[in-house]
Coordinates of all heavy atoms in Angstrom, one line a residue:
M19 N 0.8 -1.2 0.0 CA 0.0 0.0 0.0 C 0.9 1.3 0.0 O 1.9 1.3 0.6 CB -0.9 0.0 1.2 CG -1.8 1.1 1.3 SD -3.1 0.9 2.6 CE -3.9 2.4 2.5
I20 N 0.5 2.2 -0.7 CA 1.2 3.5 -0.8 C 0.9 4.4 0.4 O -0.3 4.6 0.8 CB 0.9 4.2 -2.1 CG1 1.2 3.4 -3.3 CG2 1.6 5.6 -2.1 CD1 0.7 4.0 -4.6
E21 N 2.0 4.8 1.1 CA 1.7 5.7 2.3 C 1.7 7.1 1.8 O 2.6 7.5 1.1 CB 2.8 5.5 3.3 CG 2.7 4.1 4.0 CD 3.7 4.0 5.1 OE1 4.0 5.1 5.7 OE2 4.1 2.9 5.5
V22 N 0.7 7.8 2.2 CA 0.6 9.3 1.9 C 0.3 10.1 3.1 O -0.5 9.7 4.0 CB -0.7 9.4 0.9 CG1 -0.8 10.9 0.6 CG2 -0.5 8.6 -0.3
S23 N 1.1 11.1 3.3 CA 1.0 12.0 4.5 C -0.3 12.7 4.3 O -0.9 12.9 3.3 CB 2.2 12.9 4.6 OG 2.1 13.9 3.6
I24 N -0.8 13.2 5.5 CA -2.1 13.9 5.5 C -2.0 15.2 4.7 O -3.0 15.6 4.0 CB -2.6 14.1 6.9 CG1 -4.0 14.5 7.0 CG2 -1.7 15.1 7.7 CD1 -4.9 13.4 6.8
S25 N -0.8 15.9 4.8 CA -0.7 17.1 4.0 C -0.7 16.8 2.5 O -1.3 17.6 1.7 CB 0.5 17.9 4.4 OG 1.6 17.1 4.1
T26 N -0.1 15.8 2.0 CA -0.1 15.4 0.6 C -1.5 15.0 0.2 O -1.9 15.3 -0.9 CB 0.9 14.3 0.4 OG1 2.2 14.7 0.8 CG2 1.0 13.9 -1.1
Y27 N -2.2 14.4 1.1 CA -3.5 13.9 0.8 C -4.5 15.1 0.4 O -5.3 15.0 -0.4 CB -4.1 13.1 2.0 CG -5.5 12.5 1.7 CD1 -5.6 11.4 0.9 CD2 -6.6 13.1 2.3 CE1 -6.9 10.9 0.7 CE2 -7.8 12.6 2.0 CZ -8.0 11.4 1.2 OH -9.2 10.9 1.0
F28 N -4.3 16.2 1.1 CA -5.1 17.4 0.9 C -4.5 18.4 -0.1 O -5.2 19.0 -0.8 CB -5.4 18.1 2.2 CG -6.4 17.4 3.0 CD1 -5.9 16.7 4.2 CD2 -7.7 17.3 2.7 CE1 -6.8 16.0 5.0 CE2 -8.6 16.6 3.5 CZ -8.2 15.9 4.7
L29 N -3.2 18.5 -0.1 CA -2.5 19.5 -1.0 C -2.4 19.0 -2.4 O -2.5 19.9 -3.3 CB -1.1 19.8 -0.5 CG -1.1 20.7 0.7 CD1 0.4 21.0 1.1 CD2 -1.8 22.0 0.5
A30 N -2.2 17.8 -2.7 CA -2.1 17.3 -4.1 C -3.3 17.6 -4.9 O -3.2 18.1 -6.0 CB -1.8 15.8 -4.1
P31 N -4.6 17.3 -4.5 CA -5.7 17.6 -5.3 C -5.9 19.1 -5.4 O -6.3 19.6 -6.5 CB -6.9 17.0 -4.5 CG -6.3 16.0 -3.6 CD -4.9 16.4 -3.3
L32 N -5.6 19.9 -4.4 CA -5.7 21.3 -4.5 C -4.8 21.9 -5.5 O -5.1 22.7 -6.4 CB -5.4 21.9 -3.1 CG -5.5 23.5 -3.0 CD1 -6.9 24.0 -3.2 CD2 -4.9 24.0 -1.7
M33 N -3.5 21.4 -5.5 CA -2.5 21.9 -6.5 C -2.9 21.5 -7.9 O -2.8 22.3 -8.8 CB -1.1 21.3 -6.2 CG -0.5 21.9 -4.9 SD -0.3 23.7 -5.2 CE -0.1 24.2 -3.5
L34 N -3.5 20.3 -8.0 CA -3.9 19.8 -9.3 C -5.1 20.7 -9.9 O -5.0 21.1 -11.0 CB -4.4 18.4 -9.2 CG -4.7 17.7 -10.5 CD1 -3.4 17.5 -11.4 CD2 -5.4 16.3 -10.2
H35 N -6.0 21.0 -9.0 CA -7.1 21.9 -9.4 C -6.6 23.3 -9.7 O -7.1 23.9 -10.7 CB -8.2 21.9 -8.4 CG -9.0 20.7 -8.4 ND1 -8.8 19.7 -7.5 CD2 -10.1 20.3 -9.2 CE1 -9.7 18.7 -7.8 NE2 -10.5 19.1 -8.8
L36 N -5.7 23.8 -8.9 CA -5.2 25.2 -9.2 C -4.4 25.2 -10.6 O -4.6 26.1 -11.3 CB -4.3 25.6 -8.1 CG -5.0 26.1 -6.8 CD1 -3.9 26.4 -5.8 CD2 -5.8 27.3 -7.1
A37 N -3.7 24.1 -10.9 CA -3.0 24.1 -12.1 C -4.0 24.0 -13.3 O -3.8 24.6 -14.3 CB -2.1 22.8 -12.1
L38 N -5.1 23.2 -13.1 CA -6.1 23.1 -14.1 C -6.8 24.5 -14.4 O -7.0 24.9 -15.5 CB -7.2 22.1 -13.7 CG -8.3 21.8 -14.7 CD1 -7.7 21.2 -16.0 CD2 -9.3 20.9 -14.1
V39 N -7.1 25.2 -13.3 CA -7.7 26.5 -13.5 C -6.8 27.5 -14.2 O -7.2 28.2 -15.0 CB -8.1 27.1 -12.1 CG1 -8.5 28.6 -12.2 CG2 -9.3 26.3 -11.5
G40 N -5.5 27.4 -13.8 CA -4.5 28.2 -14.5 C -4.4 27.9 -16.0 O -4.3 28.8 -16.8
L41 N -4.4 26.7 -16.3 CA -4.4 26.2 -17.7 C -5.6 26.7 -18.5 O -5.5 27.2 -19.6 CB -4.3 24.7 -17.8 CG -2.8 24.2 -17.6 CD1 -2.9 22.6 -17.6 CD2 -1.9 24.7 -18.7
L42 N -6.8 26.6 -17.8 CA -8.0 27.0 -18.5 C -8.0 28.5 -18.7 O -8.4 29.1 -19.7 CB -9.2 26.6 -17.7 CG -9.6 25.1 -17.7 CD1 -10.7 24.8 -16.8 CD2 -10.0 24.7 -19.2
Y43 N -7.5 29.3 -17.7 CA -7.4 30.8 -17.8 C -6.5 31.1 -19.0 O -6.8 32.0 -19.8 CB -6.9 31.3 -16.5 CG -6.7 32.8 -16.6 CD1 -7.8 33.7 -16.6 CD2 -5.4 33.4 -16.7 CE1 -7.6 35.0 -16.6 CE2 -5.2 34.7 -16.8 CZ -6.4 35.6 -16.7 OH -6.2 36.9 -16.8
A44 N -5.3 30.5 -19.1 CA -4.3 30.8 -20.1 C -5.0 30.4 -21.5 O -4.8 31.2 -22.5 CB -3.1 30.0 -19.9
W45 N -5.6 29.3 -21.6 CA -6.2 28.9 -22.8 C -7.3 29.8 -23.3 O -7.4 30.2 -24.4 CB -6.8 27.4 -22.7 CG -7.3 26.9 -24.0 CD1 -6.6 26.6 -25.1 CD2 -8.7 26.7 -24.3 NE1 -7.5 26.2 -26.1 CE2 -8.8 26.2 -25.6 CE3 -9.9 26.8 -23.5 CZ2 -10.0 25.9 -26.2 CZ3 -11.1 26.4 -24.1 CH2 -11.1 25.9 -25.4
E46 N -8.2 30.3 -22.3 CA -9.2 31.2 -22.7 C -8.7 32.6 -23.1 O -9.2 33.2 -24.0 CB -10.1 31.4 -21.4 CG -11.4 32.3 -21.7 CD -12.3 31.7 -22.8 OE1 -12.3 30.5 -23.0 OE2 -13.0 32.5 -23.4
T47 N -7.6 33.1 -22.5 CA -7.0 34.3 -22.8 C -6.4 34.2 -24.3 O -6.6 35.2 -25.0 CB -5.8 34.7 -21.8 OG1 -6.4 34.7 -20.5 CG2 -5.2 36.0 -22.1
V48 N -5.7 33.1 -24.6 CA -5.2 33.0 -25.9 C -6.3 32.9 -26.9 O -6.2 33.6 -28.0 CB -4.3 31.7 -25.9 CG1 -3.9 31.4 -27.4 CG2 -3.0 32.0 -25.1
S49 N -7.3 32.2 -26.6 CA -8.4 32.0 -27.6 C -9.2 33.3 -27.8 O -9.7 33.6 -28.9 CB -9.3 30.9 -27.3 OG -10.3 31.3 -26.3
L50 N -9.3 34.2 -26.7 CA -10.0 35.4 -26.8 C -9.2 36.4 -27.8 O -9.8 37.1 -28.6 CB -10.1 36.1 -25.4 CG -11.4 35.8 -24.7 CD1 -11.3 36.5 -23.3 CD2 -12.6 36.2 -25.4
V51 N -7.9 36.4 -27.7 CA -7.1 37.2 -28.5 C -7.2 36.7 -30.0 O -7.3 37.5 -30.9 CB -5.6 37.2 -28.0 CG1 -4.7 37.8 -29.1 CG2 -5.5 37.9 -26.7
A52 N -7.3 35.4 -30.1 CA -7.3 34.9 -31.5 C -8.7 35.2 -32.1 O -8.8 35.3 -33.3 CB -7.1 33.4 -31.5
R53 N -9.8 35.3 -31.3 CA -11.1 35.5 -31.8 C -11.4 36.9 -32.0 O -12.5 37.3 -32.5 CB -12.1 34.8 -30.9 CG -12.2 33.3 -31.1 CD -13.3 32.7 -30.2 NE -12.8 32.7 -28.8 CZ -13.6 32.7 -27.8 NH1 -14.8 32.6 -27.9 NH2 -13.0 32.8 -26.6
R54 N -10.6 37.9 -31.5 CA -10.8 39.3 -31.6 C -11.0 39.7 -33.0 O -10.1 39.4 -33.8 CB -9.7 40.0 -30.8 CG -10.1 41.5 -30.7 CD -9.0 42.4 -30.2 NE -8.1 41.6 -29.3 CZ -7.2 42.2 -28.6 NH1 -7.1 43.5 -28.6 NH2 -6.4 41.5 -27.9
P55 N -12.0 40.5 -33.3 CA -12.1 40.9 -34.7 C -10.9 41.8 -35.1 O -10.4 42.5 -34.3 CB -13.4 41.7 -34.8 CG -14.0 41.6 -33.4 CD -13.1 40.9 -32.5
H56 N -10.6 41.7 -36.4 CA -9.5 42.4 -36.9 C -9.7 43.9 -36.7 O -8.7 44.7 -36.4 CB -9.2 42.1 -38.4 CG -8.0 42.6 -38.9 ND1 -6.8 42.3 -38.4 CD2 -7.7 43.6 -39.9 CE1 -5.8 42.9 -39.1 NE2 -6.4 43.7 -40.0
H57 N -10.9 44.4 -36.9 CA -11.1 45.9 -36.8 C -11.0 46.4 -35.4 O -10.9 47.5 -35.2 CB -12.5 46.2 -37.4 CG -13.6 45.5 -36.7 ND1 -14.1 46.0 -35.5 CD2 -14.4 44.5 -37.0 CE1 -15.1 45.2 -35.1 NE2 -15.3 44.3 -36.0
A58 N -11.0 45.5 -34.4 CA -10.9 46.0 -33.0 C -9.5 46.5 -32.7 O -9.2 47.2 -31.7 CB -11.2 44.8 -32.0
L59 N -8.5 46.1 -33.5 CA -7.1 46.6 -33.3 C -6.9 47.9 -34.0 O -5.8 48.5 -33.9 CB -6.1 45.5 -33.9 CG -6.2 44.2 -33.2 CD1 -5.3 43.2 -33.9 CD2 -5.8 44.3 -31.7
S60 N -7.8 48.4 -34.8 CA -7.6 49.6 -35.6 C -8.2 50.8 -34.9 O -9.0 50.7 -34.0 CB -8.1 49.4 -37.0 OG -9.5 49.2 -36.9
R61 N -7.8 52.0 -35.3 CA -8.4 53.2 -34.9 C -9.5 53.7 -35.8 O -9.4 53.4 -37.0 CB -7.3 54.3 -34.8 CG -6.3 54.1 -33.6 CD -5.4 55.3 -33.6 NE -4.7 55.3 -32.4 CZ -4.0 56.3 -31.9 NH1 -3.9 57.4 -32.5 NH2 -3.3 56.2 -30.8
L62 N -10.4 54.4 -35.2 CA -11.6 54.9 -36.0 C -11.4 56.4 -36.2 O -11.1 57.1 -35.2 CB -12.8 54.6 -35.3 CG -14.1 54.6 -36.1 CD1 -14.0 53.6 -37.2 CD2 -15.3 54.3 -35.2
Y63 N -11.7 56.9 -37.4 CA -11.5 58.3 -37.8 C -12.8 58.8 -38.4 O -13.5 58.0 -39.1 CB -10.3 58.5 -38.7 CG -9.0 58.1 -38.2 CD1 -8.6 56.8 -38.2 CD2 -8.1 59.1 -37.6 CE1 -7.4 56.5 -37.7 CE2 -6.9 58.7 -37.1 CZ -6.5 57.4 -37.2 OH -5.3 57.1 -36.7
R64 N -13.1 60.1 -38.2 CA -14.2 60.7 -38.9 C -13.6 61.9 -39.5 O -13.0 62.8 -38.9 CB -15.3 61.1 -37.9 CG -16.4 61.9 -38.7 CD -17.6 62.2 -37.8 NE -18.4 61.0 -37.8 CZ -19.0 60.5 -36.7 NH1 -18.8 61.2 -35.6 NH2 -19.7 59.4 -36.7
C65 N -13.9 62.0 -40.8 CA -13.3 63.2 -41.6 C -14.1 64.4 -41.2 O -15.3 64.5 -41.2 CB -13.4 62.9 -43.1 SG -12.8 64.2 -44.1
S66 N -13.3 65.5 -40.9 CA -13.9 66.8 -40.5 C -14.4 67.5 -41.8 O -15.2 68.5 -41.6 CB -12.9 67.6 -39.8 OG -11.8 67.9 -40.6
V67 N -14.0 67.1 -43.0 CA -14.4 67.8 -44.2 C -15.7 67.1 -44.8 O -16.7 67.8 -45.1 CB -13.3 67.8 -45.2 CG1 -13.7 68.4 -46.5 CG2 -12.1 68.5 -44.6
C68 N -15.6 65.8 -45.0 CA -16.7 65.1 -45.7 C -17.5 64.1 -44.8 O -18.4 63.4 -45.3 CB -16.2 64.4 -46.9 SG -15.1 63.0 -46.5
D69 N -17.2 64.1 -43.5 CA -17.9 63.2 -42.5 C -17.7 61.7 -42.8 O -18.5 60.9 -42.3 CB -19.4 63.5 -42.4 CG -19.6 64.7 -41.5 OD1 -18.7 65.0 -40.7 OD2 -20.7 65.2 -41.5
H70 N -16.8 61.3 -43.7 CA -16.5 59.9 -44.0 C -15.9 59.3 -42.7 O -15.0 59.8 -42.1 CB -15.6 59.8 -45.2 CG -15.2 58.4 -45.5 ND1 -16.1 57.5 -45.9 CD2 -14.0 57.8 -45.7 CE1 -15.5 56.4 -46.1 NE2 -14.2 56.6 -46.0
V71 N -16.4 58.1 -42.3 CA -15.9 57.4 -41.2 C -15.0 56.2 -41.7 O -15.5 55.4 -42.5 CB -17.0 56.9 -40.2 CG1 -16.4 56.0 -39.2 CG2 -17.8 58.0 -39.7
Y72 N -13.8 56.1 -41.2 CA -12.9 55.0 -41.7 C -12.0 54.6 -40.6 O -11.9 55.2 -39.6 CB -12.1 55.6 -42.9 CG -11.3 56.8 -42.7 CD1 -10.0 56.7 -42.4 CD2 -11.9 58.1 -42.7 CE1 -9.2 57.8 -42.2 CE2 -11.2 59.2 -42.4 CZ -9.9 59.1 -42.2 OH -9.1 60.2 -41.9
A73 N -11.4 53.4 -40.8 CA -10.5 52.8 -39.9 C -9.1 52.7 -40.4 O -8.9 52.6 -41.6 CB -11.0 51.4 -39.5
E74 N -8.1 52.9 -39.5 CA -6.7 52.8 -39.9 C -6.1 51.8 -39.0 O -6.2 51.9 -37.8 CB -6.1 54.2 -39.8 CG -4.6 54.2 -40.0 CD -4.3 53.8 -41.5 OE1 -4.9 54.4 -42.4 OE2 -3.4 53.0 -41.7
E75 N -5.4 50.8 -39.5 CA -4.8 49.8 -38.7 C -3.5 50.3 -38.0 O -3.1 49.8 -37.0 CB -4.5 48.5 -39.5 CG -5.8 47.9 -39.9 CD -5.5 46.6 -40.8 OE1 -4.4 46.1 -40.8 OE2 -6.5 46.1 -41.4
R76 N -2.8 51.2 -38.7 CA -1.5 51.7 -38.1 C -1.8 52.6 -36.9 O -2.9 53.3 -36.9 CB -0.7 52.5 -39.2 CG -0.3 51.6 -40.4 CD 0.3 52.5 -41.4 NE -0.6 53.4 -41.9 CZ -0.3 54.6 -42.5 NH1 0.9 55.0 -42.6 NH2 -1.2 55.4 -42.9
D77 N -0.9 52.7 -36.0 CA -1.1 53.5 -34.8 C -0.5 54.9 -35.0 O 0.6 55.2 -34.6 CB -0.4 52.8 -33.6 CG -0.8 53.5 -32.3 OD1 -1.8 54.2 -32.3 OD2 -0.1 53.3 -31.3
V78 N -1.3 55.7 -35.8 CA -0.8 57.0 -36.1 C -1.8 58.1 -35.6 O -3.0 57.8 -35.5 CB -0.6 57.2 -37.7 CG1 0.5 56.3 -38.2 CG2 -1.9 56.8 -38.4
P79 N -1.3 59.3 -35.2 CA -2.2 60.3 -34.7 C -3.1 60.9 -35.7 O -4.2 61.3 -35.4 CB -1.2 61.4 -34.1 CG 0.1 61.2 -34.8 CD 0.1 59.7 -35.2
L80 N -2.6 61.0 -37.0 CA -3.4 61.5 -38.1 C -3.5 60.5 -39.2 O -2.4 60.0 -39.6 CB -2.9 62.8 -38.6 CG -2.8 64.0 -37.6 CD1 -2.0 65.2 -38.2 CD2 -4.2 64.4 -37.2
A81 N -4.7 60.4 -39.8 CA -4.8 59.4 -40.9 C -5.5 60.1 -42.0 O -6.4 60.9 -41.8 CB -5.6 58.2 -40.5
R82 N -5.1 59.8 -43.2 CA -5.7 60.5 -44.4 C -7.0 59.9 -44.8 O -7.2 58.7 -44.9 CB -4.7 60.4 -45.6 CG -5.1 61.3 -46.8 CD -3.9 61.4 -47.7 NE -2.7 62.0 -47.1 CZ -2.5 63.3 -47.0 NH1 -3.4 64.1 -47.4 NH2 -1.3 63.7 -46.5
C83 N -8.0 60.7 -45.1 CA -9.4 60.3 -45.5 C -9.3 59.7 -46.9 O -8.6 60.2 -47.8 CB -10.3 61.5 -45.5 SG -11.9 61.1 -46.1
G84 N -9.9 58.5 -47.0 CA -9.9 57.9 -48.3 C -10.8 58.5 -49.3 O -10.6 58.2 -50.5
R85 N -11.7 59.4 -48.9 CA -12.6 60.0 -49.8 C -12.1 61.3 -50.3 O -12.1 61.6 -51.5 CB -13.9 60.2 -49.1 CG -15.0 60.6 -50.1 CD -16.4 60.7 -49.4 NE -16.9 59.4 -49.2 CZ -18.0 59.1 -48.4 NH1 -18.6 60.2 -47.8 NH2 -18.4 57.9 -48.2
C86 N -11.6 62.2 -49.4 CA -11.2 63.6 -49.8 C -9.8 63.9 -49.6 O -9.3 64.9 -50.1 CB -12.1 64.6 -49.1 SG -11.7 64.8 -47.3
G87 N -9.1 63.0 -48.8 CA -7.6 63.2 -48.7 C -7.2 64.1 -47.5 O -6.0 64.3 -47.4
S88 N -8.1 64.6 -46.7 CA -7.7 65.4 -45.6 C -7.2 64.6 -44.4 O -7.6 63.4 -44.3 CB -8.9 66.4 -45.2 OG -9.9 65.6 -44.6
L89 N -6.4 65.1 -43.6 CA -5.9 64.5 -42.4 C -6.8 64.7 -41.2 O -7.3 65.8 -41.0 CB -4.5 64.9 -42.1 CG -3.4 64.5 -43.0 CD1 -2.1 65.2 -42.7 CD2 -3.2 63.0 -43.1
N90 N -7.1 63.6 -40.5 CA -8.0 63.7 -39.3 C -7.4 62.9 -38.1 O -6.7 62.0 -38.3 CB -9.3 63.0 -39.7 CG -10.0 63.7 -40.9 OD1 -10.5 64.8 -40.7 ND2 -9.9 63.1 -42.1
E91 N -7.9 63.4 -36.9 CA -7.5 62.7 -35.7 C -8.5 61.6 -35.4 O -9.6 61.6 -35.8 CB -7.6 63.7 -34.5 CG -6.5 64.8 -34.6 CD -6.6 65.7 -33.4 OE1 -7.4 65.5 -32.5 OE2 -5.8 66.7 -33.4
A92 N -8.0 60.6 -34.7 CA -8.8 59.4 -34.3 C -9.9 59.8 -33.3 O -9.7 60.7 -32.5 CB -7.9 58.4 -33.7
I93 N -11.1 59.3 -33.5 CA -12.2 59.5 -32.6 C -12.3 58.4 -31.7 O -12.9 58.5 -30.6 CB -13.5 59.8 -33.4 CG1 -13.8 58.6 -34.3 CG2 -13.4 61.0 -34.2 CD1 -15.2 58.7 -34.9
R94 N -11.8 57.2 -32.0 CA -11.8 56.1 -31.1 C -10.7 55.1 -31.5 O -10.4 54.9 -32.7 CB -13.2 55.3 -31.2 CG -13.3 54.2 -30.2 CD -14.7 53.6 -30.3 NE -15.0 53.1 -31.6 CZ -14.7 51.8 -31.9 NH1 -14.3 51.0 -31.0 NH2 -15.0 51.3 -33.0
R95 N -10.1 54.5 -30.5 CA -9.1 53.5 -30.7 C -9.8 52.1 -30.8 O -10.6 51.8 -30.2 CB -8.1 53.5 -29.7 CG -7.0 52.5 -30.0 CD -5.9 52.4 -29.0 NE -5.0 51.4 -29.4 CZ -3.8 51.7 -29.8 NH1 -3.3 52.9 -29.8 NH2 -3.0 50.8 -30.2
Ligands
ZN105 ZN1 -12.9 63.2 -46.1

C-alpha cells in the first residue's frame, strides 16, 4: 500500500485543481485574442471635411481620409 501523508492527501488535489484553473485561464486568454475581430485593433477616424468614417490599422495620430484626402484625428481606438 502506498503511504501518503495527510498534507499530501489534501494538498495534491488542491494543487492539481489550481493548475487546471491556470491552464483554462491561459487557454481562454489566448483564444480570446485569436477570436478578436481584426477591426478591434484599428483606430476609427471621422473626416472633418466630408464626414466619412474610416478605420486605420496603423497607430498614427493623423490618418488620411480615403474619400477627400484630408488628415483627421482618431475619434476612437
Ligand atoms: Zn474626407
Side-chain angles (χ1 to χ4, degrees):
M19 182 168 175
I20 300 173
E21 288 188 28
V22 178
S23 68
I24 195 78
S25 62
T26 304
Y27 183 77
F28 288 108
L29 284 179
L32 179 66
M33 291 298 161
L34 189 66
H35 284 97
L36 284 177
L38 183 64
V39 168
L41 282 174
L42 287 173
Y43 177 76
W45 183 67
E46 185 62 24
T47 302
V48 168
S49 80
L50 270 178
V51 169
R53 283 182 285 160
R54 187 184 337 187
H56 188 64
H57 60 79
L59 299 173
S60 60
R61 285 184 169 196
L62 199 61
Y63 297 83
R64 173 173 284 134
C65 181
S66 60
V67 176
C68 68
D69 277 344
H70 179 56
V71 177
Y72 56 100
E74 176 65 46
E75 293 181 15
R76 296 175 298 156
D77 192 20
V78 292
L80 295 173
R82 191 167 299 278
C83 173
R85 188 177 288 170
C86 71
S88 68
L89 291 172
N90 298 286
E91 292 182 0
I93 57 172
R94 186 175 63 91
R95 184 179 178 110

